[in-house]
Amino acid sequence: MTGPIFKIAILFITISNLQLAAQSYHDHAELGKRMKQLASKHPDLVELQSIGESAAGRELWVAKINSGDHPKPAILLVGNVDGRTVVGSKICLAFIEHLVKDDAKTTPASLLKQVSCYVIPSINPDAAESFFQTPLVESAFNACPVDEDNDGRVDEDGVDDLNGDGMITRMCVRDPAGDWIFDSSDSASLRPAKKTKGEKGEYLLYSEGLDNDKDGNINEDGTGGVNINRNFAFRYAPFSTGAGPYPMSAAESKALAAFCFQHPEIALVFSFSPNHNIFKPWPHAEKAPSSSKKRERRRQKPIEKVPEPDHTALAAMGEILGKMLPMTGIPASKSGNGALSEWAYFHYGRWSLSTPAWFVPSVTDSSNEKIERKQKPPLTEYQRISAWLKQNGQPQAVLNWQEIEHPDFPGRQVMIGGIKPFAGINPPADSLPSLFKRYIPVLSRLPDFISKLHIYNDGVKALYAGVYRVSVRVVNNGFLPTHTVLGSRMKWTRKIKLALALSSGQSVIEGRPFYLIDRIDAYGSSRELSWIIKSAKGKRVTLTASNPMVFSTSLVLELK
Amino acid sequence: MKHNLILFILIFAHMLPAMAESQKRTPASLKAMGAPNAPQVEIAWNRYYSYDEVMEIADRLQKAFPELVAVTSIGKSVQGRDLILLTVTNHQTGRAEAKPAMYIDGNIHSNEIQGTEVSLYTAWYLAESFGTVEWITDLLNRKAFYIVPSINPDARDYFIRRPNSPHSPRSGLLPRDDDGDGAIDEDGYDDLNGDGEIVQMRRLDKRGRWIADPQIPNLMIRVEADQKGKYELLGWEGIDNDNDGRINEDGPGYYDPNRNWGWNWQPDYVQRGADQYPFSIPENRAVAEFVTSHINIAGAQSYHNAGGMILRGPGAEEDEDLYKREDIEIYDFIAKRGEEMLPGYRYMVVGKDMYTVYGGELDWFYGARGILTFTNELWTSVDMFGQQDDDAGWFGRRRDTHRFDRLLLFGEGTVDWQTVEHPQYGEIEIGGFRKSWTRTAPSFLLEELCHRNMAFTLYHADQMPLLSIDTVSVTPLEGGIYQIDVVIGNQRLIPTRTQQDIGNGITPPDVVAIDGEDVDIIAGFFVKEPLYDEVAEQLYHPDSIRIETIPGNGKAQVRWLLAASGTVRITCRSQKGGVISEKYTF
């Protein structure tokens, strides 16, 4: 089945799907289908690859969007870094769709003339699938079996849907030694008892489930897994929940790292993750790390804070992009043990920007002022989310506490309730288009930051008959330094290569065919270099300053 | 009929070597203590074997000792070679996985080759001595050995077959761009005179600061500050292949396979050689996966060269508090024994006594897996002239290595200075030590090195837990109820779980279980302090009492209250102590 009819049919299906697409989330199969459709519809622009497979064998898709053959710096976009956050995958997909829009005059086409975009919508597809399954249960783990309670058995005591409502929520058990109480102002709101203020707790809090293996613990060894965003090697916390047996143990994190190092042209990694730095930069190192070789050999301490000038550069990008994302209720950036976004900066040596994609905004009361300011004490996270859900057309996502009979707690009051899984994590599907409107300009802005090399002619001087000195400066006219400080000190980051090309009859008397430059700072910083060349008068030499992850340049000089 | 004939020939052909070998069983020679007098597999322990030869030796051992040696592969090297594993145990007394196991590897650094020979010697000696040496028979009945002779076979072969110096390469052969110019492995060493060795380059220079030693012309010495020299030294034999003004800056590899492990790994701006991310090197990842999935491994040993050291972690200051006193005491005890068995070897802590290492193999073994692990730096200057010299350096004083070469190797260890034309430097001279001298034992000392280091590792292996049910005591109580107390003993030094293991829940606890046709468990207890009768009741699954560890040369006690008749079986299951069981009849 080939020919125009088939193509029209595909086009029709694609268009109608795209119209629907914005209104719903996609499971792994659907996401893959859409990526394949985009690749087959735009073979000149989109190349679809799988960088590996998840623990459960799901493809880790990357769409490489690239126009033309000339080498370009690349931006890597990664979604679903926290496995529960499927909204990031949707923004990734929307960005691909935006990039392949046919109109050559729009921003995408000019953006793609400058850079390649590599988009990995989901780096933890096993966890993302929990958003689409019944019972609905929030999970950040891949499907790799882990013996969480170290009893020699794996995944033997996970959650259970006790009230048959198709979702796993919270479960409270009345107990004289409980830590939780219901708030007097909101009978549905369970919060920690303030013991210092004389309040006594009344309930123990669990996730919904049974003691399946009869070991006295509830849900202590559920399905999976490794949390990919805890498995990266930067500040990896061994033995912590979801960390996996060792850093980069998971197929997903290893595949991403391998992909990154196989693509030296990646200049910047933008990820949708809880370890964000757009709204507030990551902590700042007190002083630039010493680069003294002698000291390095003796003992170099691990580096966990961002040195200058990288901190300033990251903060400056964050300020520009943060203003384009007017959001309220921004959660604190989580401490990143084994987080992808920080790994991309500290261990991959690239510019790394991250945002959580979406979070529950600040809630407002009727007078349109922030409730948090007026109310005392401040709202708990549960109260804030439930208030927002109620105000924004999702009151059904705040579940009433419902009493059940629980076989592990005979004769005791056990209730199930809380907030519907994912309700505070991903926005309602119908609000996605407005989110895309915010993020597409942000993502489209990224190429503007990449450093731009320029070769400045400092003069060609005739020293003697047929002997010339060529002096140039390599200048970075971009927003960012060519390399991060740490990246420039990593063996696996390419240096800037300034190469001299001669034509026949010319030769170099002093100087090398090429020089390697470690890094050049932003805005006008430069490196001076010169050659003495033997050449007939009026002939030309070509100089090229290149590095895969910056905008390269060349200059032709006439020897006269 | 034709088929039968072929079959007969096949069987007969197969039997030939075995028959030939069995004929050698009654030799006229007097057995020297140590190696078997008439081994079933003849192997010369006075040379260094290529990968193909290592494979062949493994294969011969498996064929000669099918009930003791099993050869499998734990993964592939970068270039597709099998990382072969020799599992050595008496398979008739139980699967290797059900016994406490000692993991042994060698050759993680490509040029540190003799670890492979020590590993192979161990497999060979164990198999050959089983049934002859009672101590070895007992060991293989109760314990298992996982031996990976080379965890870096590509670069082992590269070291052996290609021109190299004693120090090259340290790296494996995963292709890497070391100088950031976009080209990969484009400027390594060059064998200028085609003799298969990479040696030093020197050039006559009126202002040079070096001269040849008057007594030992091959030895270059620096002149006094007020003296006139004759030569400048130009580094290792090689040319500037890529015209970037630097020589030998991007050879095959380059990373340090022993800085790539996933424990306190740091990128290469902190830890040189770390490579790109933990376990980016497939050979290391294969070992990590094997060790993680074989939780019966209770001890580990890695063989390097050189310097005569018995090393333990931590490699980095940050981990100093990680090593708990109880674990350190065991490390210390075993290593001190090692110092006696290995004259000239010193017991050292990597980070404290040597240098900082992030992402080292032995740190991962102990940190991530809780396994007591040593690294031996094989070969010491003491092996040359029997002189303990603490300032001699890892490879001995250069003067001594030259003297040893002259007196005992008759100059074979050195390439004499000779003139060659160098494309960048013009007329130069090249000379110096051959690759198989200074870090590797000469033929006549290799067998001793293999045996002594093996003996140390067998001592370590023997100290892995050996469990026994020491007592089963039954006290009748009123109403047909019994109290039954079971004491499990550990007859060796190493506990079933180290403090690192217990503290981080790395492997499951030991379990003492009771079962029978007619038994009602009323309650089960771990007896914390038998003297004061202090107990902890286990409310859930009281038939299987969990024990955190059974201490070295110590015991653990459990108790049940039960009603029973007939026969019950008491079983102790320990991941690193094996399974033991005993019956008791009421």
Side-chain angles (χ1 to χ4, degrees):
Chain A
M1 174 144 166
T2 50
I5 295 170
F6 176 65
K7 281 179 184 162
I8 290 166
I10 284 192
L11 193 66
F12 177 75
I13 292 164
T14 310
I15 290 169
S16 55
N17 279 351
L18 286 177
Q19 282 165 346
L20 284 171
Q23 307 296 332
S24 65
Y25 287 105
H26 306 312
D27 66 8
H28 180 73
E30 182 66 20
L31 190 68
K33 202 171 102 191
R34 281 172 194 276
M35 303 267 284
K36 281 180 200 160
Q37 283 169 351
L38 285 164
S40 62
K41 195 183 162 203
H42 304 279
D44 52 331
L45 280 181
V46 182
E47 186 193 349
L48 187 64
Q49 292 177 354
S50 173
I51 63 167
E53 286 186 354
S54 72
R58 296 187 173 93
E59 300 92 344
L60 303 169
W61 295 117
V62 58
K64 290 177 156 177
I65 302 123
N66 184 20
S67 166
D69 288 336
H70 66 288
K72 291 187 276 301
I75 284 165
L76 174 64
L77 182 60
V78 189
N80 190 220
V81 174
D82 180 297
R84 297 163 299 185
T85 313
V86 292
V87 55
S89 308
K90 279 294 293 187
I91 300 172
C92 287
L93 190 65
F95 186 58
I96 303 173
E97 286 165 352
H98 171 76
L99 288 175
V100 299
K101 276 183 192 160
D102 286 335
D103 187 353
K105 285 175 191 165
T106 54
T107 325
S110 61
L111 186 155
L112 289 177
K113 273 179 197 153
Q114 302 177 62
V115 299
S116 307
C117 292
Y118 302 156
V119 186
I120 300 174
S122 172
I123 194 62
N124 192 354
D126 293 355
E129 212 62 5
S130 64
F131 184 82
F132 303 95
Q133 284 168 346
T134 306
L136 198 57
V137 52
E138 287 175 11
S139 168
F141 292 157
N142 76 356
C144 176
V146 172
D147 178 9
E148 272 104 359
D149 60 342
N150 198 29
D151 66 349
R153 290 174 294 170
V154 291
D155 298 358
E156 79 286 354
D157 189 357
V159 293
D160 307 89
D161 183 12
L162 299 179
N163 57 353
D165 63 353
M167 54 182 111
I168 302 298
T169 52
R170 311 301 290 277
M171 177 172 90
C172 66
V173 180
R174 195 161 186 103
D175 192 280
D179 292 319
W180 295 75
I181 55 168
F182 282 95
D183 195 282
S184 52
S185 67
D186 175 4
S187 61
S189 166
L190 200 60
R191 63 166 173 81
K194 293 172 193 127
K195 294 185 176 177
T196 52
K197 300 206 169 146
E199 281 182 1
K200 190 180 173 318
E202 291 170 358
Y203 292 92
L204 294 170
L205 194 58
Y206 299 91
S207 55
E208 184 178 346
L210 302 170
D211 177 10
N212 304 79
D213 61 345
K214 301 290 172 217
D215 69 345
N217 300 304
I218 289 178
N219 305 338
E220 83 287 355
D221 190 356
T223 309
V226 180
N227 179 342
I228 302 311
N229 202 34
R230 294 280 173 275
N231 189 240
F232 280 85
F234 177 66
R235 221 192 288 129
Y236 175 82
F239 314 118
S240 63
T241 306
Y246 43 83
M248 305 310 210
S249 66
E252 295 88 338
S253 30
K254 181 184 182 288
L256 186 98
F259 178 83
C260 283
F261 281 104
Q262 281 156 13
H263 290 81
E265 67 276 19
I266 294 172
L268 189 150
V269 179
F270 190 101
S271 56
F272 294 109
S273 92
N275 313 93
H276 56 89
N277 63 343
I278 282 180
F279 304 106
K280 190 183 171 215
W282 291 325
H284 187 191
E286 282 89 39
K287 56 175 184 178
S290 156
S291 60
S292 150
K293 281 256 159 69
K294 203 174 170 190
R295 206 193 126 185
E296 193 173 324
R297 209 164 295 136
R298 216 169 58 228
R299 174 159 162 74
Q300 176 66 261
K301 298 253 187 192
I303 294 171
E304 297 194 343
K305 290 183 177 174
V306 183
E308 287 298 1
D310 294 0
H311 187 268
T312 300
L314 286 168
M317 285 191 287
E319 200 179 330
I320 291 167
L321 303 176
K323 277 185 188 151
M324 297 167 77
L325 292 166
M327 292 170 126
T328 59
I330 298 162
S333 185
K334 301 253 171 70
S335 82
N337 286 328
L340 181 149
S341 60
E342 288 170 280
W343 173 85
Y345 173 75
F346 286 95
H347 284 185
Y348 181 41
R350 297 308 205 273
W351 303 105
S352 175
L353 294 168
S354 185
T355 149
W358 182 84
F359 34 83
V360 172
S362 297
V363 284
T364 52
D365 66 10
S366 51
S367 64
N368 216 23
E369 276 189 39
K370 285 182 181 168
I371 285 179
E372 285 99 321
R373 276 192 205 151
K374 290 174 81 182
Q375 265 200 353
K376 281 185 183 177
L379 299 178
T380 64
E381 190 60 13
Y382 170 89
Q383 288 166 333
R384 203 172 74 84
I385 293 169
S386 61
W388 184 84
L389 290 169
K390 284 173 187 166
Q391 282 178 17
N392 288 274
Q394 294 187 78
Q396 75 285 357
V398 184
L399 306 164
N400 290 323
W401 290 92
Q402 176 192 1
E403 277 200 41
I404 59 149
E405 291 287 318
H406 196 295
D408 297 317
F409 300 104
R412 288 164 68 181
Q413 187 196 25
V414 178
M415 293 190 289
I416 288 169
I419 292 168
K420 187 183 170 188
F422 300 102
I425 294 175
N426 296 297
D430 59 12
S431 70
L432 287 170
S434 69
L435 206 58
F436 299 161
K437 260 186 213 157
R438 287 176 176 180
Y439 271 109
I440 284 169
V442 165
L443 298 173
S444 304
R445 185 70 190 269
L446 300 176
D448 296 348
F449 297 126
I450 295 174
S451 31
K452 297 173 179 66
L453 294 179
H454 178 74
I455 303 174
Y456 179 78
N457 178 8
D458 268 344
V460 175
K461 192 175 177 191
L463 300 175
Y464 192 72
V467 179
Y468 298 89
R469 181 192 293 122
V470 173
S471 303
V472 297
R473 270 182 285 168
V474 185
V475 182
N476 174 11
N477 284 333
F479 183 96
L480 290 170
T482 57
H483 296 65
T484 64
V485 173
L486 300 181
S488 72
R489 295 178 61 198
M490 284 173 65
K491 206 171 172 184
W492 317 119
T493 316
R494 295 254 189 101
K495 297 182 192 321
I496 301 155
K497 191 174 196 171
L498 178 64
L500 172 75
L502 301 175
S503 50
S504 65
Q506 294 178 318
S507 62
V508 175
I509 297 173
E510 192 55 57
R512 294 195 194 126
F514 64 88
Y515 289 96
L516 298 175
I517 303 168
D518 285 354
R519 78 185 273 285
I520 304 178
D521 248 320
Y523 287 130
S525 296
S526 66
R527 268 289 299 274
E528 293 172 32
L529 291 158
S530 70
W531 287 266
I532 295 175
I533 296 168
K534 190 163 168 47
S535 170
K537 188 170 184 174
K539 291 191 86 172
R540 289 168 179 192
V541 294
T542 306
L543 293 152
T544 308
S546 63
N547 178 283
M549 61 186 178
V550 305
F551 296 115
S552 299
T553 185
S554 50
L555 174 72
V556 178
L557 290 177
E558 194 180 336
L559 305 180
K560 58 183 181 187
Chain B
M1 183 61 211
K2 203 174 179 183
H3 283 289
N4 286 347
L5 187 66
I6 292 168
L7 196 65
F8 174 76
I9 291 169
L10 278 175
I11 292 169
F12 188 71
H14 201 73
M15 284 163 63
L16 271 177
M19 286 168 69
E21 284 184 325
S22 67
Q23 280 166 6
K24 290 186 295 189
R25 294 298 287 172
T26 49
S29 53
L30 171 65
K31 185 182 192 295
M33 288 300 103
N37 199 20
Q40 292 194 43
V41 180
E42 284 282 7
I43 302 170
W45 298 107
N46 57 8
R47 66 198 65 172
Y48 296 104
Y49 291 107
S50 70
Y51 173 78
D52 289 342
E53 290 167 324
V54 170
M55 294 292 279
E56 192 201 317
I57 289 169
D59 191 52
R60 285 167 66 202
L61 287 173
Q62 177 174 237
K63 287 207 171 93
F65 303 103
E67 71 286 3
L68 296 175
V69 180
V71 181
T72 51
S73 171
I74 63 165
K76 295 273 187 190
S77 69
V78 170
Q79 297 179 344
R81 290 183 178 85
D82 275 312
L83 303 170
I84 55 154
L85 164 76
L86 290 85
T87 302
V88 185
T89 186
N90 180 3
H91 293 288
Q92 281 161 357
T93 55
R95 294 157 45 243
E97 284 69 27
K99 294 172 180 168
M102 184 81 197
Y103 169 87
I104 300 169
D105 73 30
N107 200 200
I108 185 170
H109 291 133
S110 321
N111 59 329
E112 303 182 1
I113 53 171
Q114 64 264 52
T116 299
E117 276 66 28
V118 180
S119 305
L120 281 176
Y121 181 92
T122 304
W124 172 79
Y125 180 87
L126 287 171
E128 294 281 358
S129 306
F130 180 84
T132 319
V133 181
E134 194 183 336
W135 193 87
I136 298 290
T137 310
D138 280 351
L139 194 64
L140 291 186
N141 283 341
R142 291 166 175 161
K143 280 157 187 170
F145 291 82
Y146 294 128
I147 301 173
V148 187
S150 174
I151 59 170
N152 187 10
D154 297 345
R156 176 186 185 79
D157 250 29
Y158 184 88
F159 176 81
I160 288 174
R161 290 167 187 263
R162 303 284 291 274
N164 271 299
S165 82
H167 311 293
S168 74
R170 187 173 172 85
S171 172
L173 295 185
L174 200 53
R176 292 289 191 231
D177 170 15
D178 306 320
D179 55 345
D181 66 350
I184 293 169
D185 298 350
E186 80 288 355
D187 192 355
Y189 300 114
D190 303 274
D191 183 8
L192 300 178
N193 60 348
D195 67 348
E197 304 285 344
I198 297 298
V199 291
Q200 294 285 326
M201 302 191 287
R202 74 180 183 189
R203 183 166 64 176
L204 284 169
D205 180 3
K206 284 180 179 164
R207 299 283 163 260
R209 303 305 301 149
W210 295 80
I211 56 167
D213 184 276
Q215 271 88 47
I216 307 170
N218 281 322
L219 171 62
M220 297 302 291
I221 53 172
R222 190 184 263 279
V223 290
E224 297 282 320
D226 60 353
Q227 298 290 301
K228 189 175 182 307
K230 192 178 173 189
Y231 293 101
E232 63 174 334
L233 298 187
L234 302 168
W236 294 104
E237 193 176 342
I239 61 176
D240 179 8
N241 305 76
D242 62 345
N243 246 333
D244 67 346
R246 296 165 71 197
I247 289 182
N248 307 335
E249 84 287 354
D250 191 354
Y254 220 87
Y255 47 85
D256 184 336
N258 198 32
R259 304 291 183 274
N260 177 249
W261 295 70
W263 184 266
N264 203 352
W265 182 92
Q266 292 294 331
D268 75 330
Y269 55 78
V270 174
Q271 174 59 66
R272 289 196 321 155
D275 202 50
Q276 297 174 342
Y277 51 89
F279 299 121
S280 57
I281 296 161
E283 293 90 345
N284 290 352
R285 183 170 278 259
V287 173
E289 285 172 358
F290 176 79
V291 172
T292 306
S293 61
H294 288 75
I295 55 178
N296 58 318
I297 295 173
Q301 173 72 45
S302 175
Y303 293 117
H304 292 223
N305 80 30
M309 291 177 251
I310 301 165
L311 298 170
R312 72 157 168 93
E317 206 176 84
E318 289 84 352
D319 283 334
E320 264 170 25
D321 295 338
L322 186 79
Y323 285 64
K324 300 286 177 291
R325 183 180 51 79
E326 293 90 331
D327 292 352
I328 290 174
E329 282 172 2
I330 302 161
Y331 265 123
D332 289 353
F333 193 91
I334 295 173
K336 290 287 171 200
R337 273 290 147 80
E339 286 186 328
E340 290 176 54
M341 298 163 82
L342 294 159
Y345 285 55
R346 286 158 302 158
Y347 170 44
M348 290 162 78
V349 177
V350 174
K352 190 160 67 86
D353 304 327
M354 203 162 54
Y355 45 57
T356 297
V357 172
Y358 293 108
E361 183 185 8
L362 54 72
D363 275 315
W364 182 80
F365 265 78
Y366 178 76
R369 302 306 308 163
I371 298 166
L372 298 172
T373 306
F374 290 106
T375 286
N376 282 21
E377 296 287 354
L378 306 171
W379 180 249
T380 148
S381 63
V382 180
D383 291 333
M384 289 195 288
F385 297 113
Q387 308 279 326
Q388 185 77 49
D389 177 354
D390 289 340
D391 302 320
W394 296 331
F395 318 126
R397 292 180 189 273
R398 291 182 74 82
R399 183 172 298 276
D400 288 340
T401 33
H402 277 290
R403 285 182 61 236
F404 188 92
D405 175 37
R406 184 191 278 182
L407 295 170
L408 288 111
L409 306 178
F410 317 109
E412 197 193 8
T414 317
V415 176
D416 292 331
W417 292 103
Q418 53 192 270
T419 305
V420 294
E421 191 62 26
H422 189 284
Q424 280 93 23
Y425 294 146
E427 189 181 292
I428 61 161
E429 290 172 55
I430 55 172
F433 294 122
R434 289 183 196 277
K435 68 181 171 191
S436 58
W437 173 229
T438 72
R439 300 183 63 143
T440 42
S443 63
F444 52 95
L445 294 176
L446 178 58
E447 185 164 350
E448 176 178 352
L449 181 149
C450 287
H451 191 91
R452 283 185 184 272
N453 280 278
M454 173 197 74
F456 166 66
T457 301
L458 296 189
Y459 175 78
H460 182 181
D462 182 51
Q463 293 304 334
M464 296 189 299
L466 174 60
L467 303 185
S468 53
I469 296 176
D470 283 0
T471 56
V472 177
S473 40
V474 177
T475 318
L477 305 176
E478 282 177 32
I481 297 171
Y482 295 97
Q483 174 182 318
I484 177 163
D485 279 85
V486 177
V487 176
I488 309 291
N490 179 359
Q491 303 175 32
R492 292 292 186 270
L493 179 57
I494 298 176
T496 51
R497 293 167 83 217
T498 60
Q499 289 299 313
Q500 176 68 2
D501 190 341
I502 298 166
N504 298 292
I506 297 170
T507 64
D510 304 327
V511 169
V512 186
I514 187 165
D515 71 296
E517 297 229 330
D518 185 20
V519 54
D520 278 328
I521 313 282
I522 298 164
F525 308 86
F526 172 62
V527 183
K528 287 155 79 176
E529 183 46 84
L531 283 177
Y532 307 115
D533 206 34
E534 190 183 339
V535 298
E537 184 175 359
Q538 183 176 311
L539 295 175
Y540 298 89
H541 301 289
D543 58 327
S544 301
I545 303 296
R546 287 190 304 275
I547 299 173
E548 279 201 335
T549 189
I550 305 169
N553 286 319
K555 60 191 175 185
Q557 186 174 339
V558 301
R559 176 179 298 166
W560 287 283
L561 295 181
L562 47 73
S565 64
T567 301
V568 294
R569 194 178 58 213
I570 293 151
T571 308
C572 174
R573 285 188 195 85
S574 167
Q575 304 291 350
K576 294 179 195 293
V579 180
I580 48 169
S581 164
E582 197 170 299
K583 281 182 179 158
Y584 179 86
T585 304
F586 283 89

